[in-house]
Amino acid sequence: MNRRLFLLGTAALVACSPGQASAADRFADSPWRKLSDAEWKKRLSPEAYRVLRHADTERAGSSPLNNELRRGTFVCAGCALPLFKSEWKYDAETGWPSFWTVLKANVVTKPPLLPWQGTEYHCARCLGHQGHMFTDGPPPTGQRWCNNGVALRFSPV
């Protein structure tokens, strides 16, 4: 498990988000950004807290969302911002829910430290860590947005 603490402040994450400034600025005054770490810890399950607030990774294959096939929207488990449509989901056989695209205005990104790590992405409203984007996905984008299931909630249509 990745136990690296999420120490970047809001400004640092937003600054690392080329092309996403308008999405980040849109939520700059969001009450979700003003919650303290202690408040987040009270609101979230222990595993969701570790993933969303400290960029941990859940165990592969542990999410019930891996098998979610209904029509609907996958939203941030921290603040309910829509991130993915169900028709974008596919089985990447990685053990985590994967999508071939994302609602780009609703995420901010941070470039990887090493090329194999993928681009880290976060919810643009609450800055909760979601997962990593890799360039080994299916057409039409060639992207694999690999998300921690515990960082998402599913909202059926």
Side-chain angles (χ1 to χ4, degrees), residues 106-117:
N106 290 352
V107 297
V108 291
T109 60
K110 187 173 90 171
L113 295 174
L114 300 168
W116 57 267
Q117 289 178 319

Side-chain angles (χ1 to χ4, degrees), residues 43-57:
R43 289 175 170 267
L44 301 168
S45 71
E47 189 172 31
Y49 169 77
R50 287 190 304 271
V51 169
L52 286 163
R53 307 317 308 167
H54 294 281
D56 202 346
T57 301

Side-chain angles (χ1 to χ4, degrees), residues 27-107:
F27 297 114
D29 294 324
S30 169
W32 295 103
R33 300 242 188 120
K34 294 173 177 53
L35 292 176
S36 70
D37 190 61
E39 289 170 312
W40 278 113
K41 197 169 191 171
K42 287 179 192 173
R43 289 175 170 267
L44 301 168
S45 71
E47 189 172 31
Y49 169 77
R50 287 190 304 271
V51 169
L52 286 163
R53 307 317 308 167
H54 294 281
D56 202 346
T57 301
E58 70 186 356
R59 187 174 44 82
S62 64
S63 176
L65 294 181
N66 286 332
N67 301 316
E68 181 57 69
L69 301 174
R70 296 175 291 171
R71 287 191 59 228
T73 305
F74 292 86
V75 302
C76 173
C79 69
L81 185 69
L83 300 175
F84 303 100
K85 295 181 180 180
S86 59
E87 54 265 28
W88 301 340
K89 187 173 182 281
Y90 74 101
D91 185 2
E93 299 180 359
T94 62
W96 292 279
S98 296
F99 306 85
W100 54 266
T101 195
V102 65
L103 291 165
K104 288 183 178 42
N106 290 352
V107 297

